[in-house]
Amino acid sequence: TNNDRKAVLNVILSVFKIIPLLGSTLNYCLKTDFIDYEDSIIEETANINCIDYIITNNAKHFKGTKSIIISPKEFCTLLNIC
């Protein structure tokens, strides 16, 4: 239901920190060896902001990152909302 979706979103928003995306980060990521530009932006933004987790279905794209990589399902289980 709509109320269920709102409840889940409220839990998620209470956990996430909204962080800025800087132009300097975009320029830096253009110079990296990362295969996927968007993933490079995610990783570099996470590193700059000391983010604990990256939630993705593409864990293999983030090998060697400083953040913990988990799937959306693992994240839901971690929050006990699945």
Side-chain angles (χ1 to χ4, degrees), residues 1-2 16-17 20 23-24 34-35 38 46 54 68-69 71-72 77 80:
T1 69
N2 194 38
F16 284 103
K17 174 183 173 186
S24 57
F34 229 85
I35 295 171
E38 290 84 3
I54 295 175
I68 298 167
I69 308 302
S71 71
T77 301
N80 293 318

Side-chain angles (χ1 to χ4, degrees), residues 1 5 9-10 12 17-18 21 23 27 33 48 57-58 60 64 69 76 78:
T1 69
R5 282 190 291 276
L9 287 172
N10 279 322
I12 291 171
K17 174 183 173 186
I18 305 302
L21 174 58
N27 288 324
D33 293 333
I48 290 169
N57 283 317
N58 294 315
K60 64 184 178 186
I69 308 302
C76 287
L78 186 66

Side-chain angles (χ1 to χ4, degrees), residues 5-80:
R5 282 190 291 276
K6 286 182 179 182
V8 169
L9 287 172
N10 279 322
V11 169
I12 291 171
L13 290 173
S14 72
V15 172
F16 284 103
K17 174 183 173 186
I18 305 302
I19 55 175
L21 174 58
L22 306 174
S24 57
T25 303
L26 299 175
N27 288 324
Y28 172 81
C29 291
L30 285 172
K31 300 171 187 169
T32 67
D33 293 333
F34 229 85
I35 295 171
D36 186 298
Y37 179 65
E38 290 84 3
D39 289 344
S40 177
I41 294 167
I42 292 167
E43 179 176 353
E44 186 60 22
T45 302
N47 289 340
I48 290 169
N49 290 280
C50 301
I51 299 302
D52 296 323
Y53 292 91
I54 295 175
I55 303 163
T56 180
N57 283 317
N58 294 315
K60 64 184 178 186
H61 290 189
F62 295 94
K63 294 186 190 287
T65 188
K66 298 173 187 170
S67 300
I68 298 167
I69 308 302
I70 61 173
S71 71
K73 184 174 182 173
E74 290 169 320
F75 180 70
C76 287
T77 301
L78 186 66
L79 294 182
N80 293 318

